[in-house]
């Protein structure tokens, strides 16, 4: 296993604590309650309900590694969390995964009703794009690139497409590894990928660098999902802050169901090693992204 982030004296614990705190403050300031109050409250309820804040932190880390400032990336970092949060709100709806618990709290529709939960998701999604466009101090062509990539990651080519195939595959026992990979590279991987690439674009990185980082992001994206599938089996509801054992109940094909736990873990390790190795050119400035790859494979929730 490659562990040079530690060897460089970098403390991921300190880094996450510091970045999480600035992201929480920025998120709190990003949406101010206005009329109609109900929908703003519902948006803020889920947006500020906690969570690891991995997506905004990946965006900030990529931007910083490529020489950009935290200020340049903060609006996009918040927008990524708005989009992630809205996807969770919609995923939890009775017509989708039908869940009562998210981030250790009742799901949005349990508190505000299905109609407002749908609209709160719509509000977050729309505002995310506006919020990127309102970024100060970054050339407009970079912002345009970010908006295009975000749209691709979220729409039918990305999250939406992945979710559709996931719903269509439920209850089927003959789901192939290719279909499973399609579901997760779209449903989970696409957003994680744009977290990293948008950070690099905002910093003004050239195409070759963005493409190389895309490979890092794809590897951590797939690892993230393999670990998610493993945790669904091995962790408790309290540890996860959401219902455990959902995949088995919904008769979903997962990486552990296709490969077993041992091969799932070794595949996640292979992807993580590859992700870390792809950052070699960046030396010490890659310590946060390397450590985040290790965090993803070692996470407990
Ligand atoms: C995006 C337009 C649009 C619609 C949504 C419902 C849907 C379409 C897609 C589902 C996407 C989804 C919920 C994917 C699962 C991703 C995943 C593994 C989430 C858990 O992420 P964590 O562990 O959660 O980072 P926290 O709470 O820590 O942020």
């Amino acid at each position: 296993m490659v562990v040079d982030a530690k060897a460089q004296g970098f403390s991921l614990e300190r880094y996450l604590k510091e970045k999480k705190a600035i992201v929480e403050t920025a998120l709190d300031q990003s949406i101010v309650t206005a009329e109609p109050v109900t929908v703003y409250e519902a948006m803020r309820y889920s947006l500020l309900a906690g969570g690891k804040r991995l997506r905004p932190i990946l965006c900030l880390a990529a931007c910083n590694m490529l020489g950009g400032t935290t200020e340049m990336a903060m609006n996009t970092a918040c927008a990524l969390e708005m989009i992630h949060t809205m996807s969770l709100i919609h995923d939890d709806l009775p017509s989708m995964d039908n869940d009562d618990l998210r981030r250790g709290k009742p799901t949005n529709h349990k508190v505000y009703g299905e109609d407002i939960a749908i609209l709160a998701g719509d509000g977050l999604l729309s505002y995310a794009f506006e919020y990127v466009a309102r970024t100060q101090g970054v050339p407009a062509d970079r912002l345009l690139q970010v908006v295009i990539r975000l749209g691709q990651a979220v729409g039918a080519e990305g999250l939406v497409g992945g979710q559709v195939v996931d719903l269509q595959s439920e209850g089927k026992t003959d789901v192939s590894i290719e279909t499973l990979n399609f579901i997760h590279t779209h449903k989970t991987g696409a957003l994680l990928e744009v977290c990293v690439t948008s950070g690099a674009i905002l910093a003004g990185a050239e195409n070759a660098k963005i493409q190389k980082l895309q490979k890092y992001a794809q590897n951590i994206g797939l690892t993230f999902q393999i670990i998610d599938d493993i945790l669904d089996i091995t962790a408790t509801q309290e540890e996860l802050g959401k219902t455990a054992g959902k995949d088995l109940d919904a008769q979903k094909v997962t990486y552990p169901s296709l490969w077993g736990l041992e091969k799932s873990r070794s595949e996640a390790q292979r992807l993580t090693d590859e992700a870390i190795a792809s950052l070699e050119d960046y030396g010490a400035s890659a310590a946060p992204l390397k450590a985040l790859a290790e965090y993803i494979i070692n996470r407990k929730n």
Side-chain angles (χ1 to χ4, degrees):
M1 190 169 89
V2 189
V3 284
D4 42 359
K6 279 188 203 121
Q8 286 158 0
F10 173 81
S11 162
L12 178 67
E13 203 184 330
R14 195 165 0 108
Y15 181 84
L16 286 179
K17 201 172 162 200
E18 185 194 311
K19 296 296 170 202
K20 207 167 172 231
I22 58 168
V23 166
E24 291 296 342
T25 304
L27 285 172
D28 190 24
Q29 291 167 352
S30 68
I31 296 178
V32 179
T33 303
E35 292 290 341
V37 170
T38 313
V39 78
Y40 282 97
E41 275 182 7
M43 287 158 73
R44 283 178 56 88
Y45 172 78
S46 291
L47 188 66
L48 304 176
K52 296 179 285 296
R53 308 308 193 193
L54 182 61
R55 290 155 190 82
I57 294 174
L58 279 169
C59 178
L60 299 180
C63 183
N64 291 156
M65 187 179 83
L66 271 305
T69 64
T70 297
E71 292 68 38
M72 289 165 90
M74 192 51 97
N75 274 37
T76 300
C78 290
L80 287 159
E81 190 65 29
M82 289 175 203
I83 293 170
H84 170 55
T85 300
M86 78 70 59
S87 80
L88 300 179
I89 296 174
H90 282 196
D91 195 49
D92 291 334
L93 288 168
S95 58
M96 301 255 182
D97 253 13
N98 191 19
D99 223 319
D100 297 350
L101 191 70
R102 174 67 70 176
R103 292 173 163 170
K105 296 172 79 172
T107 44
N108 200 290
H109 66 272
K110 282 279 155 193
V111 180
Y112 295 97
E114 245 182 283
D115 46 3
I116 297 296
I118 292 170
L119 292 164
D122 295 342
L124 284 168
L125 180 62
S126 318
Y127 191 54
F129 285 88
E130 178 184 337
Y131 210 58
V132 172
R134 287 192 184 280
T135 304
Q136 301 288 313
V138 175
D141 62 322
R142 293 186 200 169
L143 297 179
L144 191 60
Q145 278 306 311
V146 170
V147 166
I148 291 170
R149 282 184 186 245
L150 263 183
Q152 288 173 329
V154 173
E157 287 188 55
L159 260 85
V160 169
Q163 178 77 350
V164 169
V165 179
D166 194 14
L167 291 172
Q168 288 170 341
S169 304
E170 230 168 83
K172 288 188 187 164
T173 48
D174 59 347
V175 175
S176 65
I177 186 68
E178 288 76 22
T179 303
L180 193 64
N181 283 339
F182 178 92
I183 292 169
H184 296 308
T185 51
H186 290 75
K187 195 180 144 172
T188 308
L191 192 62
L192 287 167
E193 191 176 319
V194 78
C195 293
V196 176
T197 52
S198 63
I201 290 168
L202 292 164
E206 64 216 40
N207 271 337
K209 286 190 173 162
I210 295 167
Q211 266 174 24
K212 208 163 170 192
L213 271 180
Q214 217 161 332
K215 193 70 204 137
Y216 159 88
Q218 286 162 358
N219 285 331
I220 62 162
L222 205 47
T223 303
F224 186 93
Q225 188 58 50
I226 296 171
I227 298 301
D228 220 63
D229 287 358
I230 293 175
L231 289 174
D232 188 67
I233 302 168
T234 58
T236 63
Q237 176 168 300
E238 289 67 38
E239 284 167 321
L240 293 178
K242 61 180 181 182
T243 315
K246 285 273 309 186
D247 296 337
L248 209 59
D249 287 350
Q251 294 181 291
K252 275 193 182 180
V253 171
T254 63
Y255 289 104
S257 78
L258 280 185
W259 290 339
L261 278 174
E262 201 177 322
K263 186 178 170 198
S264 300
R265 284 200 183 100
S266 65
E267 190 56 17
Q269 190 60 62
R270 187 188 67 74
L271 293 163
T272 302
D273 289 347
E274 214 173 278
I276 291 173
S278 72
L279 300 175
E280 274 322 303
D281 297 350
Y282 293 99
S285 61
L289 281 186
K290 287 183 180 178
L292 283 163
E294 285 172 7
Y295 170 73
I296 285 171
I297 192 171
N298 292 320
R299 71 195 177 93
K300 301 283 178 260
N301 67 21

